[in-house]
Amino acid sequence: MAATRRNQSSLSRAERRRFVDAVLKLKRRGQYDEFVRTHIDFYVSDGDRELRVAHMAPSFFPWHRRFLLEFERALQKIDSGVTVPYWDWTKNRTAGGSLWGADMMGGNGRRSDRQVMTGPFAHKNGNWTIKEDVTDGEFLTRDLGRSQDPVDLPTAQDVEWAMADGRYDVEPWDSTSPEGFRNKLEGWTSARGKERWRNHNRVHRWVGGHMLGGASVNDPVFWLNHAFVDLLWDRWQRRHPRSAPYLPARPPELGSDQYQRIVARHEPMPPWDVAPDALLSHKGQYTYGS
Ligand code: CU
Ligand code: CU
């Protein structure tokens, strides 16, 4: 039977505890840090002249779908009743919500060094030491809302702006793609200042600290953001049943700037030997509930 991913705001105390406990157990076994490492290794930007599968590329959605599935399966080996909850940031928009409670994600970073001091992922509570990172801090950091230069979480209108676009993705298939659902929801724009980040990217900015870069998986809220992004991808497909569900259908040709730098619908995405086409639906694996 397909498991149901629930809205984090409707989890009971016991359900929150089971999710958090499974994550902590995965961390203790060293497996959590393998997920962090994978994400760091695939954090390739479109300035790099190599294959991009995870970000700034059409396969942003299927790559993260598979990544979440791997994570969820690892959790389910620990507790078969656990699924990854999603965070609807168009509705749960404050640093004071239950998401940031001491029995869930824990709270904001403190002012001096942005160190998270409360909850299961506070270093001082003994269960969450950062091991895979680009810098050397051992503790998880956050700066909810970006205190120095505040940003808001994306709104329902921001999501609608992406959702209304009936093309999955457009050339040049990177962070500069001017149209298309993929880049509008991933959230790169040519605007200046805070408008540069929309939707998914804006959420990473709003949480701040570890959520800012390739090592963002160190903050477990990463998974809750990406579960919601995955849900929105579903919603887009349902809204545009006549659109090509993935583009490009064929690889860019020799001579194209994106030649061998992005994957087409039937090409495999590393580190898995699976093509976007195989991930367009998650029927039978999980569903989204309220
Ligand atoms: Cu990512
Ligand atoms: Cu992300």
Side-chain angles (χ1 to χ4, degrees):
M1 202 196 79
T4 303
R5 292 186 182 169
R6 313 251 321 273
N7 187 320
Q8 56 78 26
S9 69
S10 55
L11 297 185
S12 68
R13 239 166 214 292
E15 288 165 335
R16 288 201 287 266
R17 173 180 218 112
R18 281 176 75 174
F19 173 69
V20 166
D21 282 352
V23 172
L24 292 178
K25 204 166 274 177
L26 205 63
K27 176 79 169 176
R28 217 172 306 138
R29 295 177 174 184
Q31 285 171 276
Y32 192 93
D33 290 311
E34 291 172 22
F35 286 98
V36 183
R37 180 36 59 189
T38 299
H39 195 265
I40 293 172
D41 290 345
F42 284 88
Y43 203 72
V44 175
S45 113
D46 53 17
D48 304 319
R49 301 204 62 86
E50 53 182 294
L51 180 68
R52 308 184 306 282
V53 283
H55 309 98
M56 301 181 171
S59 50
F60 168 74
F61 292 106
W63 193 93
H64 284 88
R65 173 166 287 174
R66 175 60 186 242
F67 191 50
L68 257 79
L69 265 169
E70 298 271 326
F71 175 67
E72 194 166 59
R73 284 171 191 156
L75 292 179
Q76 287 167 350
K77 278 188 190 149
I78 292 166
D79 180 345
S80 60
V82 165
T83 53
V84 178
Y86 63 90
W87 169 25
D88 180 349
W89 25 256
T90 68
K91 297 204 175 96
N92 300 115
R93 309 179 52 78
T94 67
S98 63
L99 176 61
W100 308 105
D103 66 344
M104 191 54 173
M105 293 290 109
N108 200 2
R110 67 180 172 191
R111 190 191 271 261
S112 58
D113 57 2
R114 303 288 173 223
Q115 178 170 182
V116 170
M117 302 304 287
T118 56
F121 310 108
H123 182 250
K124 74 171 179 67
N125 291 338
N127 295 311
W128 205 257
T129 299
I130 306 295
K131 299 209 170 106
E132 299 284 351
D133 196 359
V134 268
T135 57
D136 356 323
E138 286 206 311
F139 50 83
L140 178 64
T141 56
R142 286 181 189 141
D143 181 14
L144 302 184
R146 245 163 64 124
S147 50
Q148 300 299 312
D149 184 14
V151 291
D152 285 327
L153 283 164
T155 61
Q157 291 94 292
D158 294 325
V159 170
E160 174 55 25
W161 167 74
M163 228 33 121
D165 196 321
R167 280 158 304 178
Y168 177 75
D169 204 353
V170 302
E171 285 182 0
W173 320 111
D174 63 8
S175 71
T176 70
S177 293
E179 302 289 334
F181 169 67
R182 190 275 308 167
N183 199 31
K184 286 181 177 175
L185 199 73
E186 187 180 0
W188 307 102
T189 75
S190 58
R192 289 175 180 245
K194 295 173 206 170
E195 292 307 307
R196 253 171 77 201
W197 309 291
R198 298 273 182 97
N199 290 317
H200 152 267
N201 281 344
R202 175 70 78 101
V203 178
H204 280 272
R205 291 280 140 189
W206 186 87
V207 177
H210 274 98
M211 273 286 273
L212 292 182
S216 49
V217 178
N218 278 308
D219 192 331
V221 83
F222 170 93
W223 305 103
L224 282 71
N225 176 29
H226 274 276
F228 188 55
V229 166
D230 190 79
L231 174 160
L232 292 174
W233 181 27
D234 260 15
R235 234 181 245 175
W236 179 86
Q237 286 183 344
R238 261 184 277 128
R239 178 151 160 191
H240 301 282
R242 271 179 284 279
S243 294
Y246 186 89
L247 290 169
R250 266 175 282 280
E253 285 169 19
L254 178 70
S256 152
D257 187 56
Q258 295 296 327
Y259 176 66
Q260 294 192 337
R261 292 173 66 199
I262 56 156
V263 296
R265 180 167 172 170
H266 297 283
E267 294 184 296
M269 293 183 298
W272 314 288
D273 189 21
V274 58
D277 187 64
L279 288 156
L280 298 181
S281 164
H282 52 75
K283 220 172 157 198
Q285 297 179 302
Y286 60 89
T287 56
Y288 284 104
S290 53

